[in-house]
Amino acid sequence: MRETRIVEFKETITDTFLKTVSAFSNYDGGTILFGVDDDGNIKGLPDVKQACLDIENKINDSITPQPDYTLEIQNNDQTIKLTVKSGLQKPYLYKSKAYKRNDTATIEVDTLEFSRLVLDGKNIRFEELPCKDQELSFEILHRKLKETVRIENFDKDTLKTLNLYDDVNGFNNAAGILADKNHFPGIDIVKFGENISIIQKRSTFENVSVLEVYEKAIEVFRDYYQYEVIQGADRKKMEKIPEAAFREAIANALIHRVWDVDSQIRVSMFDDRIEIVSPGGLPSGITEEEYLFGKLSVLRNRNLANVFYRLGFVEIFGTGITRIKQLYAEALIKPDFEVSENAIKIVLPIFEKNADLTEDEIVVYKLLSKTMLKPISEVAPYVPFGKSKTTKILKGMCEKGVITVEGKGKGTKYIIS
C-alpha cells in the first residue's frame, strides 16, 4: 500500500488528521487508515474501540460544518478505516481554515480557492455571479444568433433566455465573457520556428467577445495548417491538421477553463503539432478517465457552453475529446491529452495516415523529423531495441517510401519523406 491524493496513513491519532478530513470533505473525498505507518505497514492501535471514539469526537468537535464520514475496524481489530465523502456544504473548516490535498500532502487553500469553495457550497458558479461591468453590448452575439438560429429580435428577453441577464443582478459574468468588449482574458497564440527560441509570429486576443476570440484563433490556424493544391482546373483545400479537431480543442478550452484567473489560453504552434493549454484542471466530480473517454460530462461554465451549443460550435456536451480521437482514427500519431491540477493540455499532431507501419516502425517514426536529417545515433538510444534492429527497421521504412536516406557509411542520415 502507498499514500495517494485520496489515501493517507496515520500510525497514531493526532490532530493533524483533521486537516485531511477538511481536504477530503472539500474536494473528492478519501480514506485515512489509522494504525498504518508511512510505508503502508500495519502497526496496529492499542485500543481500537477507544480510538474510534477519539476520532469521532475530534471530528465532531473540530470540523464545521459536520462532514459525512464512516468508521470501520479492520485487520483483526488492529486498524481503523475512516472514509470521508465529498460534502455539499463547502467549505469544511478546521480551526477556521479550509484544506486541500496536493498529491500526498495536505495544505491550506489560498484565497481564490477558498472563494471557489464558498460558491460551490452555495451551488453558484463564477459565470453566474454579477459582472462588474454592466454597460455591455452584444453585436457579435446578435450577429451569430441571426446567422445560425435566425433570431431577428435581440433584447433583454433574449439574454434572459440564454441565462445571461436577470432583473435583480443584471448581466452575469457569462454575459461579460460574451460581450463585445470586456475585462476577461482570451487566447495567446505563438507560432514557433525550428525551436521555441524562434518566434515567427505572436497574436493575442483578449478583452473582446469569446466568440471573436474563437473565430480569430481559427483564422490563425488556417494561415499555417491549410493550403491549396491545384488539380487541373480545380483547387483542393488540404489540411495538415484537421480543422474540426482544432475547433473542438479551442471550444473545449474556452468552455471548460476557469475564468476567475487572469491567465490566457496558450496555443503553441509548431511545424509538427499544436499544443493547447487551458487554465484550470478538471471540474470537481469528474475523473481523468471519465474526461478522456467521454464517460461523463461536468460543465464548469454551463451558460457559456449552452451558447456555443446553440451556435453550432460544439455538437453534444462532453463529446469534444471523443470527436478529436475519431478525427485521428486513421492517423499515424494520435493526439495527446494531459490533465493536471491547474491545467489541461491537448496536443494535435500533423495528420499523417498510417502507411501500414508495424508497431516497431511507428516507434522509430516518432523519433524522426520532416525538417531535420537525423543519424542513427539520434534514434537508436531512444528505442527499446538495439542498433542492429533499428538499422533494419529504417531500411524497411525506406523501401516503403515513408522515409528518405541521405549519405553513406557513418554519414548516413534519415528524414521523413
Side-chain angles (χ1 to χ4, degrees), residues 115-131:
S115 66
R116 288 174 178 169
L117 287 172
V118 172
L119 292 178
D120 195 11
K122 295 178 179 179
N123 197 28
I124 299 174
R125 305 182 186 223
F126 175 78
E127 64 162 3
E128 298 168 340
L129 293 174
C131 184

Side-chain angles (χ1 to χ4, degrees), residues 192-216:
F192 293 99
E194 292 182 3
N195 55 63
I196 58 174
S197 299
I198 302 173
I199 297 177
Q200 295 179 341
K201 186 177 180 180
R202 186 167 195 162
S203 303
T204 303
F205 310 112
E206 60 183 349
N207 305 136
V208 295
S209 173
V210 67
L211 304 177
E212 184 176 354
V213 170
Y214 176 75
E215 287 187 329
K216 292 290 188 183

Side-chain angles (χ1 to χ4, degrees), residues 5-24:
R5 190 177 59 83
I6 57 172
V7 176
E8 182 167 275
F9 302 147
K10 291 292 182 183
E11 189 170 345
T12 59
I13 300 170
T14 63
D15 288 350
T16 57
F17 85 90
L18 294 166
K19 296 179 181 180
T20 305
V21 173
S22 165
F24 287 159

Side-chain angles (χ1 to χ4, degrees), residues 82-343:
L82 169 62
T83 303
V84 183
K85 295 182 180 179
S86 177
L88 299 175
Q89 300 176 353
K90 301 177 178 71
Y92 291 83
L93 307 178
Y94 170 59
K95 291 186 176 179
S96 302
K97 296 178 180 180
Y99 292 86
K100 70 174 182 177
R101 293 287 280 176
N102 183 13
D103 196 16
T104 59
T106 301
I107 61 174
E108 184 182 350
V109 303
D110 58 22
T111 304
L112 175 60
E113 197 67 26
F114 188 88
S115 66
R116 288 174 178 169
L117 287 172
V118 172
L119 292 178
D120 195 11
K122 295 178 179 179
N123 197 28
I124 299 174
R125 305 182 186 223
F126 175 78
E127 64 162 3
E128 298 168 340
L129 293 174
C131 184
K132 70 177 184 180
D133 300 325
Q134 289 293 315
E135 297 297 324
L136 303 175
S137 64
F138 299 91
E139 291 182 12
I140 295 172
L141 176 59
H142 183 195
R143 173 169 55 84
K144 284 294 180 184
L145 288 170
K146 189 174 181 180
E147 291 173 357
T148 55
V149 292
R150 303 290 187 266
I151 290 181
E152 295 292 339
N153 297 324
F154 187 90
D155 51 25
K156 289 284 177 65
D157 288 334
T158 309
L159 294 168
K160 287 180 180 178
T161 301
L162 295 172
N163 295 318
L164 303 177
Y165 179 87
D166 68 63
D167 293 328
V168 177
N169 298 306
F171 296 115
N172 58 27
N173 281 328
I177 293 166
L178 287 157
D180 299 325
K181 302 292 181 183
N182 56 51
H183 65 276
F184 290 100
I187 292 180
D188 184 28
I189 303 178
V190 179
K191 176 63 175 70
F192 293 99
E194 292 182 3
N195 55 63
I196 58 174
S197 299
I198 302 173
I199 297 177
Q200 295 179 341
K201 186 177 180 180
R202 186 167 195 162
S203 303
T204 303
F205 310 112
E206 60 183 349
N207 305 136
V208 295
S209 173
V210 67
L211 304 177
E212 184 176 354
V213 170
Y214 176 75
E215 287 187 329
K216 292 290 188 183
I218 293 169
E219 288 176 9
V220 175
F221 166 85
R222 288 172 177 167
D223 286 341
Y224 294 109
Y225 299 96
Q226 290 184 356
Y227 60 97
E228 289 186 340
V229 174
I230 299 175
Q231 296 179 337
D234 300 323
R235 288 177 178 267
K236 184 179 180 181
K237 185 177 77 171
M238 306 295 289
E239 295 181 327
K240 295 181 180 179
I241 290 176
E243 181 178 311
F246 182 75
R247 283 177 175 272
E248 289 284 355
I250 291 296
N252 192 77
L254 291 167
I255 290 172
H256 292 292
R257 67 158 290 167
V258 291
W259 286 95
D260 55 359
V261 295
D262 189 19
S263 179
Q264 312 282 19
I265 293 170
R266 191 174 75 247
V267 179
S268 303
M269 295 182 165
F270 301 89
D271 290 340
D272 63 344
R273 70 192 186 282
I274 298 177
E275 297 179 358
I276 300 162
V277 180
S278 56
L282 294 177
S284 180
I286 183 172
T287 66
E288 182 174 344
E289 181 185 11
E290 289 166 340
Y291 169 76
L292 293 178
F293 294 95
K295 295 179 180 179
L296 180 66
S297 175
V298 177
L299 293 174
R300 177 177 276 125
N301 306 295
R302 52 193 169 201
N303 296 341
L304 185 60
N306 179 52
V307 172
F308 269 62
Y309 174 68
R310 286 172 180 261
L311 295 177
F313 292 164
V314 295
E315 291 189 356
I316 304 172
F317 298 144
T319 62
I321 300 301
T322 301
R323 179 156 164 71
I324 290 172
K325 290 180 178 179
Q326 289 173 346
L327 289 164
Y328 276 84
E330 298 181 4
L332 182 62
I333 302 176
K334 307 295 184 183
D336 188 41
F337 307 92
E338 297 178 19
V339 177
S340 64
E341 182 180 359
N342 297 310

